[in-house]
Amino acid sequence: MGRSGVSPILAIIAIAAIAGFFYWLNLKSAALDTVVEPVMEEEVVAEAIDLNTAAMAADLEGSIGQEGWIRFVTVNERLGRAAFTIGLDAETSLPVLLAPDVIRRGADVYGNDRVNMFGRLYVLNDSIRNEWVNQEAVDAENRDAIPATPGFFLADSLSIN
């Protein structure tokens, strides 16, 4: 046989080898589990609690980080389009900042309104106060009206009674 007779035989052997390899892959893949079920982590759902305004007034710094409802409180003063103060007791005012979603819904809060709010207490410092004014959440003329408290309440939801 000459050189020209070997080429067709080698091509047939190569095709048979490839077909055999694919057959072997098919057998191996059929042996694997074909159903893969996703493993979902269980989501921990914390029950929303009512925050005690008297306890917050007594130890506002210790209350920072708490999340829950503040219900039936009176707005002391409107500070701007997105901030106001509430009275925790006769002496203690707490600044409240509205979350962007609440602002987009057009919640306008004025002095003496009664409100229910859900949110979280965060640390408040001078740089945060200045940023509130820079972002126009607080009107510039009300900069000094922001209470000098160690924390503020970020309201994620708000209803006016």
Side-chain angles (χ1 to χ4, degrees):
M1 245 201 290
R3 279 181 69 89
S4 63
V6 177
S7 293
I9 295 172
L10 289 177
I12 293 172
I13 291 172
I15 291 172
I18 291 172
F21 176 71
F22 280 122
Y23 178 73
W24 176 79
L25 279 179
N26 186 33
L27 291 176
K28 288 293 183 182
S29 66
L32 297 175
D33 291 334
T34 56
V35 178
V36 177
E37 294 184 29
V39 177
M40 304 295 284
E41 292 183 20
E42 290 187 28
E43 187 175 322
V44 178
V45 178
E47 186 175 321
I49 61 167
D50 287 343
L51 299 177
N52 184 336
T53 55
M56 287 172 30
D59 184 20
L60 186 57
E61 195 168 352
S63 299
I64 291 174
Q66 290 183 353
E67 182 178 60
W69 285 96
I70 296 179
R71 298 183 194 270
F72 306 110
V73 293
T74 303
V75 174
N76 288 345
E77 178 181 12
R78 178 187 166 117
L79 300 174
R81 68 177 177 87
F84 56 91
T85 62
I86 60 170
L88 295 179
D89 61 12
E91 297 87 32
T92 309
S93 289
L94 177 68
V96 176
L97 180 69
L98 299 177
D101 289 343
V102 177
I103 297 168
R104 275 192 290 276
R105 287 192 295 257
D108 286 329
V109 179
Y110 298 98
N112 295 322
D113 283 349
R114 301 271 297 164
V115 295
N116 294 327
M117 305 175 292
F118 179 82
R120 179 181 292 265
L121 284 159
Y122 290 95
V123 172
L124 181 61
N125 56 35
D126 289 336
S127 63
I128 294 172
R129 287 181 185 88
N130 290 334
E131 193 59 30
W132 287 2
V133 175
N134 292 340
Q135 296 293 323
E136 298 177 351
V138 173
D139 297 334
E141 63 270 9
N142 290 333
R143 175 190 303 261
D144 295 331
I146 301 172
T149 59
F152 74 95
F153 190 77
L154 179 61
D156 294 326
S157 71
L158 173 81
S159 65
I160 302 169
N161 301 328

Short mmCIF file of all heavy atoms in Angstrom, two decimals, residues 26-79:
data_model
loop_
_atom_site.label_atom_id
_atom_site.label_comp_id
_atom_site.label_asym_id
_atom_site.label_seq_id
_atom_site.Cartn_x
_atom_site.Cartn_y
_atom_site.Cartn_z
N ASN A 26 -20.76 10.10 27.69
CA ASN A 26 -22.20 9.96 27.90
C ASN A 26 -22.48 8.98 29.04
O ASN A 26 -23.35 9.23 29.87
CB ASN A 26 -22.87 9.51 26.60
CG ASN A 26 -24.38 9.48 26.74
OD1 ASN A 26 -24.96 10.28 27.46
ND2 ASN A 26 -25.02 8.54 26.05
N LEU A 27 -21.78 7.87 29.10
CA LEU A 27 -21.97 6.89 30.18
C LEU A 27 -21.60 7.49 31.53
O LEU A 27 -22.30 7.28 32.53
CB LEU A 27 -21.15 5.63 29.91
CG LEU A 27 -21.58 4.75 28.74
CD1 LEU A 27 -20.60 3.60 28.55
CD2 LEU A 27 -22.99 4.23 28.96
N LYS A 28 -20.50 8.24 31.59
CA LYS A 28 -20.06 8.85 32.86
C LYS A 28 -21.04 9.92 33.32
O LYS A 28 -21.35 10.02 34.50
CB LYS A 28 -18.65 9.46 32.71
CG LYS A 28 -17.56 8.43 32.61
CD LYS A 28 -17.46 7.69 33.92
CE LYS A 28 -16.32 6.70 33.88
NZ LYS A 28 -16.22 5.94 35.10
N SER A 29 -21.54 10.73 32.41
CA SER A 29 -22.45 11.80 32.81
C SER A 29 -23.81 11.24 33.23
O SER A 29 -24.49 11.82 34.06
CB SER A 29 -22.63 12.81 31.69
OG SER A 29 -23.28 12.22 30.58
N ALA A 30 -24.21 10.11 32.67
CA ALA A 30 -25.48 9.50 33.06
C ALA A 30 -25.40 8.96 34.48
O ALA A 30 -26.41 8.87 35.18
CB ALA A 30 -25.85 8.38 32.09
N ALA A 31 -24.21 8.63 34.95
CA ALA A 31 -24.04 8.10 36.29
C ALA A 31 -24.10 9.21 37.35
O ALA A 31 -24.31 8.93 38.53
CB ALA A 31 -22.70 7.36 36.41
N LEU A 32 -23.92 10.46 36.95
CA LEU A 32 -23.98 11.58 37.91
C LEU A 32 -25.41 11.88 38.27
O LEU A 32 -26.35 11.60 37.52
CB LEU A 32 -23.33 12.82 37.29
CG LEU A 32 -21.84 12.72 36.96
CD1 LEU A 32 -21.41 13.99 36.25
CD2 LEU A 32 -21.04 12.52 38.23
N ASP A 33 -25.61 12.49 39.43
CA ASP A 33 -26.95 12.93 39.82
C ASP A 33 -27.37 14.05 38.89
O ASP A 33 -26.67 15.04 38.70
CB ASP A 33 -26.96 13.46 41.26
CG ASP A 33 -26.74 12.34 42.27
OD1 ASP A 33 -27.07 11.19 41.95
OD2 ASP A 33 -26.26 12.65 43.38
N THR A 34 -28.53 13.88 38.29
CA THR A 34 -28.99 14.89 37.34
C THR A 34 -29.83 15.96 38.01
O THR A 34 -30.02 17.03 37.46
CB THR A 34 -29.81 14.23 36.23
OG1 THR A 34 -30.88 13.51 36.80
CG2 THR A 34 -28.94 13.32 35.39
N VAL A 35 -30.35 15.69 39.21
CA VAL A 35 -31.17 16.67 39.90
C VAL A 35 -30.34 17.32 41.00
O VAL A 35 -29.87 16.65 41.91
CB VAL A 35 -32.43 16.01 40.52
CG1 VAL A 35 -33.25 17.02 41.27
CG2 VAL A 35 -33.25 15.33 39.43
N VAL A 36 -30.16 18.61 40.87
CA VAL A 36 -29.43 19.36 41.89
C VAL A 36 -30.42 20.28 42.57
O VAL A 36 -31.04 21.12 41.93
CB VAL A 36 -28.29 20.18 41.24
CG1 VAL A 36 -27.59 21.02 42.29
CG2 VAL A 36 -27.32 19.27 40.53
N GLU A 37 -30.59 20.08 43.86
CA GLU A 37 -31.51 20.92 44.61
C GLU A 37 -30.73 22.01 45.31
O GLU A 37 -29.75 21.73 45.99
CB GLU A 37 -32.28 20.08 45.63
CG GLU A 37 -33.19 19.06 44.98
CD GLU A 37 -34.01 18.30 46.01
OE1 GLU A 37 -34.29 18.86 47.07
OE2 GLU A 37 -34.35 17.15 45.73
N PRO A 38 -31.16 23.26 45.15
CA PRO A 38 -30.45 24.35 45.82
C PRO A 38 -30.66 24.28 47.32
O PRO A 38 -31.73 23.91 47.80
CB PRO A 38 -31.08 25.61 45.23
CG PRO A 38 -32.42 25.17 44.75
CD PRO A 38 -32.29 23.73 44.37
N VAL A 39 -29.64 24.61 48.04
CA VAL A 39 -29.72 24.66 49.49
C VAL A 39 -29.94 26.11 49.88
O VAL A 39 -29.10 26.96 49.64
CB VAL A 39 -28.42 24.12 50.13
CG1 VAL A 39 -28.48 24.23 51.64
CG2 VAL A 39 -28.18 22.69 49.70
N MET A 40 -31.08 26.38 50.45
CA MET A 40 -31.44 27.75 50.84
C MET A 40 -31.13 27.94 52.32
O MET A 40 -31.48 27.10 53.14
CB MET A 40 -32.92 28.02 50.60
CG MET A 40 -33.36 27.78 49.16
SD MET A 40 -32.62 28.89 48.00
CE MET A 40 -33.57 30.33 48.32
N GLU A 41 -30.49 29.05 52.62
CA GLU A 41 -30.25 29.37 54.02
C GLU A 41 -31.55 29.85 54.62
O GLU A 41 -32.30 30.58 53.99
CB GLU A 41 -29.20 30.47 54.14
CG GLU A 41 -27.82 30.04 53.74
CD GLU A 41 -26.80 31.15 53.96
OE1 GLU A 41 -27.09 32.07 54.75
OE2 GLU A 41 -25.75 31.09 53.34
N GLU A 42 -31.78 29.45 55.84
CA GLU A 42 -32.98 29.91 56.51
C GLU A 42 -32.79 31.36 56.91
O GLU A 42 -31.81 31.73 57.52
CB GLU A 42 -33.27 29.06 57.75
CG GLU A 42 -33.72 27.66 57.40
CD GLU A 42 -34.17 26.90 58.63
OE1 GLU A 42 -34.63 27.54 59.59
OE2 GLU A 42 -34.04 25.68 58.61
N GLU A 43 -33.74 32.17 56.51
CA GLU A 43 -33.67 33.59 56.80
C GLU A 43 -34.22 33.82 58.20
O GLU A 43 -35.32 33.39 58.53
CB GLU A 43 -34.48 34.37 55.78
CG GLU A 43 -34.33 35.86 55.91
CD GLU A 43 -35.05 36.59 54.79
OE1 GLU A 43 -35.04 36.10 53.66
OE2 GLU A 43 -35.63 37.63 55.08
N VAL A 44 -33.44 34.51 58.98
CA VAL A 44 -33.87 34.83 60.33
C VAL A 44 -34.72 36.08 60.26
O VAL A 44 -34.26 37.14 59.83
CB VAL A 44 -32.66 35.05 61.26
CG1 VAL A 44 -33.12 35.44 62.64
CG2 VAL A 44 -31.80 33.81 61.30
N VAL A 45 -35.96 35.96 60.64
CA VAL A 45 -36.87 37.09 60.62
C VAL A 45 -37.08 37.54 62.06
O VAL A 45 -37.66 36.83 62.87
CB VAL A 45 -38.22 36.71 59.97
CG1 VAL A 45 -39.17 37.88 59.99
CG2 VAL A 45 -38.00 36.20 58.57
N ALA A 46 -36.55 38.71 62.34
CA ALA A 46 -36.71 39.25 63.68
C ALA A 46 -38.08 39.89 63.80
O ALA A 46 -38.55 40.57 62.89
CB ALA A 46 -35.63 40.28 63.97
N GLU A 47 -38.71 39.65 64.90
CA GLU A 47 -40.01 40.24 65.15
C GLU A 47 -39.83 41.71 65.49
O GLU A 47 -38.99 42.08 66.30
CB GLU A 47 -40.69 39.51 66.31
CG GLU A 47 -42.10 39.94 66.55
CD GLU A 47 -42.77 39.11 67.61
OE1 GLU A 47 -42.54 37.90 67.64
OE2 GLU A 47 -43.51 39.69 68.41
N ALA A 48 -40.58 42.56 64.82
CA ALA A 48 -40.48 44.00 65.07
C ALA A 48 -41.01 44.31 66.46
O ALA A 48 -42.11 43.88 66.83
CB ALA A 48 -41.25 44.76 64.02
N ILE A 49 -40.22 45.03 67.22
CA ILE A 49 -40.61 45.36 68.59
C ILE A 49 -40.95 46.84 68.68
O ILE A 49 -40.54 47.65 67.84
CB ILE A 49 -39.49 45.01 69.59
CG1 ILE A 49 -38.23 45.81 69.26
CG2 ILE A 49 -39.21 43.54 69.60
CD1 ILE A 49 -37.19 45.76 70.35
N ASP A 50 -41.68 47.19 69.70
CA ASP A 50 -41.94 48.60 70.00
C ASP A 50 -40.83 49.08 70.90
O ASP A 50 -40.54 48.46 71.93
CB ASP A 50 -43.29 48.76 70.70
CG ASP A 50 -44.47 48.57 69.75
OD1 ASP A 50 -44.26 48.63 68.53
OD2 ASP A 50 -45.59 48.37 70.24
N LEU A 51 -40.19 50.18 70.50
CA LEU A 51 -39.12 50.75 71.31
C LEU A 51 -39.72 51.58 72.43
O LEU A 51 -40.70 52.30 72.24
CB LEU A 51 -38.20 51.61 70.44
CG LEU A 51 -37.51 50.87 69.30
CD1 LEU A 51 -36.69 51.83 68.46
CD2 LEU A 51 -36.63 49.75 69.83
N ASN A 52 -39.12 51.49 73.58
CA ASN A 52 -39.60 52.21 74.76
C ASN A 52 -38.95 53.59 74.79
O ASN A 52 -37.74 53.72 75.01
CB ASN A 52 -39.24 51.41 76.01
CG ASN A 52 -39.77 52.02 77.28
OD1 ASN A 52 -40.03 53.22 77.35
ND2 ASN A 52 -39.92 51.19 78.30
N THR A 53 -39.75 54.64 74.56
CA THR A 53 -39.19 55.98 74.49
C THR A 53 -38.65 56.44 75.84
O THR A 53 -37.67 57.18 75.88
CB THR A 53 -40.23 56.99 73.97
OG1 THR A 53 -41.40 56.93 74.78
CG2 THR A 53 -40.58 56.69 72.52
N ALA A 54 -39.24 56.01 76.93
CA ALA A 54 -38.73 56.39 78.26
C ALA A 54 -37.36 55.78 78.50
O ALA A 54 -36.45 56.44 79.02
CB ALA A 54 -39.71 55.96 79.35
N ALA A 55 -37.17 54.53 78.12
CA ALA A 55 -35.88 53.88 78.27
C ALA A 55 -34.84 54.51 77.34
O ALA A 55 -33.68 54.67 77.71
CB ALA A 55 -35.99 52.38 77.98
N MET A 56 -35.27 54.91 76.14
CA MET A 56 -34.36 55.58 75.23
C MET A 56 -33.94 56.93 75.79
O MET A 56 -32.77 57.32 75.67
CB MET A 56 -35.02 55.77 73.86
CG MET A 56 -35.12 54.48 73.08
SD MET A 56 -36.09 54.54 71.55
CE MET A 56 -35.91 56.17 70.95
N ALA A 57 -34.86 57.66 76.40
CA ALA A 57 -34.52 58.96 76.98
C ALA A 57 -33.53 58.80 78.13
O ALA A 57 -32.63 59.62 78.29
CB ALA A 57 -35.79 59.67 77.47
N ALA A 58 -33.69 57.74 78.92
CA ALA A 58 -32.80 57.51 80.06
C ALA A 58 -31.40 57.11 79.60
O ALA A 58 -30.41 57.49 80.22
CB ALA A 58 -33.38 56.44 80.98
N ASP A 59 -31.29 56.34 78.50
CA ASP A 59 -29.98 55.88 78.02
C ASP A 59 -30.00 55.81 76.50
O ASP A 59 -30.04 54.72 75.92
CB ASP A 59 -29.67 54.51 78.62
CG ASP A 59 -28.28 54.00 78.23
OD1 ASP A 59 -27.43 54.83 77.83
OD2 ASP A 59 -28.06 52.79 78.32
N LEU A 60 -29.97 56.98 75.86
CA LEU A 60 -30.03 57.02 74.40
C LEU A 60 -28.79 56.39 73.78
O LEU A 60 -28.88 55.66 72.80
CB LEU A 60 -30.20 58.45 73.90
CG LEU A 60 -30.41 58.60 72.41
CD1 LEU A 60 -31.63 57.81 71.94
CD2 LEU A 60 -30.56 60.05 72.03
N GLU A 61 -27.63 56.61 74.37
CA GLU A 61 -26.40 56.04 73.83
C GLU A 61 -26.44 54.52 73.89
O GLU A 61 -25.98 53.84 72.98
CB GLU A 61 -25.20 56.57 74.60
CG GLU A 61 -23.90 56.34 73.90
CD GLU A 61 -22.74 57.13 74.51
OE1 GLU A 61 -22.99 57.97 75.38
OE2 GLU A 61 -21.61 56.87 74.12
N GLY A 62 -27.01 53.97 74.93
CA GLY A 62 -27.13 52.51 75.07
C GLY A 62 -28.19 51.92 74.15
O GLY A 62 -28.20 50.72 73.90
N SER A 63 -29.08 52.76 73.64
CA SER A 63 -30.15 52.29 72.75
C SER A 63 -29.73 52.26 71.29
O SER A 63 -30.45 51.72 70.45
CB SER A 63 -31.38 53.19 72.90
OG SER A 63 -31.87 53.16 74.21
N ILE A 64 -28.59 52.84 70.97
CA ILE A 64 -28.13 52.89 69.58
C ILE A 64 -27.97 51.47 69.04
O ILE A 64 -27.41 50.61 69.69
CB ILE A 64 -26.83 53.71 69.47
CG1 ILE A 64 -27.14 55.17 69.76
CG2 ILE A 64 -26.18 53.55 68.10
CD1 ILE A 64 -25.95 56.07 69.84
N GLY A 65 -28.49 51.26 67.85
CA GLY A 65 -28.45 49.94 67.21
C GLY A 65 -29.78 49.22 67.29
O GLY A 65 -30.00 48.26 66.57
N GLN A 66 -30.68 49.68 68.16
CA GLN A 66 -31.98 49.02 68.28
C GLN A 66 -32.84 49.36 67.07
O GLN A 66 -32.78 50.45 66.52
CB GLN A 66 -32.70 49.46 69.55
CG GLN A 66 -32.09 48.94 70.81
CD GLN A 66 -32.90 49.34 72.04
OE1 GLN A 66 -33.85 50.11 71.96
NE2 GLN A 66 -32.50 48.81 73.18
N GLU A 67 -33.65 48.38 66.68
CA GLU A 67 -34.55 48.56 65.55
C GLU A 67 -35.96 48.23 66.02
O GLU A 67 -36.16 47.27 66.77
CB GLU A 67 -34.15 47.63 64.40
CG GLU A 67 -35.01 47.79 63.17
CD GLU A 67 -34.55 46.89 62.04
OE1 GLU A 67 -34.55 45.67 62.24
OE2 GLU A 67 -34.20 47.41 60.98
N GLY A 68 -36.92 49.01 65.57
CA GLY A 68 -38.30 48.74 65.95
C GLY A 68 -39.20 49.92 65.66
O GLY A 68 -38.86 50.85 64.94
N TRP A 69 -40.38 49.86 66.28
CA TRP A 69 -41.41 50.88 66.10
C TRP A 69 -41.34 51.91 67.22
O TRP A 69 -41.17 51.56 68.38
CB TRP A 69 -42.79 50.24 66.13
CG TRP A 69 -43.12 49.49 64.89
CD1 TRP A 69 -42.98 48.15 64.68
CD2 TRP A 69 -43.64 50.03 63.68
NE1 TRP A 69 -43.38 47.83 63.42
CE2 TRP A 69 -43.80 48.96 62.78
CE3 TRP A 69 -44.01 51.31 63.28
CZ2 TRP A 69 -44.29 49.14 61.51
CZ3 TRP A 69 -44.50 51.49 62.01
CH2 TRP A 69 -44.64 50.41 61.12
N ILE A 70 -41.50 53.14 66.85
CA ILE A 70 -41.79 54.21 67.80
C ILE A 70 -43.19 54.67 67.43
O ILE A 70 -43.42 55.16 66.34
CB ILE A 70 -40.78 55.37 67.71
CG1 ILE A 70 -39.39 54.89 68.08
CG2 ILE A 70 -41.21 56.52 68.60
CD1 ILE A 70 -38.31 55.96 68.00
N ARG A 71 -44.11 54.49 68.37
CA ARG A 71 -45.53 54.72 68.05
C ARG A 71 -46.10 55.89 68.84
O ARG A 71 -45.73 56.13 69.98
CB ARG A 71 -46.35 53.46 68.36
CG ARG A 71 -45.95 52.26 67.54
CD ARG A 71 -46.86 51.07 67.86
NE ARG A 71 -46.35 49.83 67.36
CZ ARG A 71 -46.61 49.33 66.16
NH1 ARG A 71 -47.36 49.99 65.33
NH2 ARG A 71 -46.10 48.17 65.80
N PHE A 72 -47.01 56.59 68.18
CA PHE A 72 -47.80 57.65 68.79
C PHE A 72 -46.96 58.70 69.51
O PHE A 72 -47.19 59.02 70.67
CB PHE A 72 -48.85 57.06 69.75
CG PHE A 72 -49.71 56.03 69.10
CD1 PHE A 72 -49.60 54.69 69.46
CD2 PHE A 72 -50.60 56.36 68.09
CE1 PHE A 72 -50.37 53.71 68.86
CE2 PHE A 72 -51.37 55.39 67.48
CZ PHE A 72 -51.27 54.07 67.87
N VAL A 73 -45.96 59.21 68.81
CA VAL A 73 -45.14 60.29 69.37
C VAL A 73 -45.49 61.59 68.64
O VAL A 73 -45.93 61.58 67.49
CB VAL A 73 -43.63 59.99 69.26
CG1 VAL A 73 -43.23 58.83 70.15
CG2 VAL A 73 -43.21 59.74 67.84
N THR A 74 -45.26 62.68 69.33
CA THR A 74 -45.57 64.00 68.78
C THR A 74 -44.31 64.63 68.21
O THR A 74 -43.25 64.60 68.84
CB THR A 74 -46.17 64.91 69.87
OG1 THR A 74 -47.33 64.29 70.40
CG2 THR A 74 -46.54 66.26 69.31
N VAL A 75 -44.45 65.21 67.03
CA VAL A 75 -43.34 65.92 66.40
C VAL A 75 -43.17 67.26 67.10
O VAL A 75 -44.11 68.04 67.21
CB VAL A 75 -43.60 66.13 64.89
CG1 VAL A 75 -42.53 66.99 64.25
CG2 VAL A 75 -43.71 64.78 64.19
N ASN A 76 -41.95 67.51 67.59
CA ASN A 76 -41.67 68.79 68.24
C ASN A 76 -41.47 69.89 67.21
O ASN A 76 -42.07 70.96 67.31
CB ASN A 76 -40.43 68.70 69.12
CG ASN A 76 -40.65 67.89 70.37
OD1 ASN A 76 -41.77 67.61 70.74
ND2 ASN A 76 -39.57 67.50 71.00
N GLU A 77 -40.59 69.63 66.24
CA GLU A 77 -40.21 70.68 65.30
C GLU A 77 -39.76 70.06 63.98
O GLU A 77 -39.05 69.07 63.96
CB GLU A 77 -39.05 71.48 65.91
CG GLU A 77 -38.50 72.57 65.07
CD GLU A 77 -37.34 73.31 65.73
OE1 GLU A 77 -36.82 72.83 66.74
OE2 GLU A 77 -36.97 74.35 65.20
N ARG A 78 -40.18 70.67 62.91
CA ARG A 78 -39.71 70.27 61.57
C ARG A 78 -38.39 71.00 61.32
O ARG A 78 -38.30 72.21 61.44
CB ARG A 78 -40.74 70.65 60.52
CG ARG A 78 -40.33 70.32 59.12
CD ARG A 78 -41.34 70.87 58.12
NE ARG A 78 -40.78 70.85 56.78
CZ ARG A 78 -41.27 70.14 55.79
NH1 ARG A 78 -42.33 69.39 55.98
NH2 ARG A 78 -40.70 70.17 54.60
N LEU A 79 -37.35 70.24 60.96
CA LEU A 79 -36.03 70.81 60.72
C LEU A 79 -35.77 71.07 59.24
O LEU A 79 -34.89 71.86 58.89
CB LEU A 79 -34.94 69.89 61.28
CG LEU A 79 -35.01 69.61 62.77
CD1 LEU A 79 -33.97 68.57 63.16
CD2 LEU A 79 -34.81 70.89 63.56
#
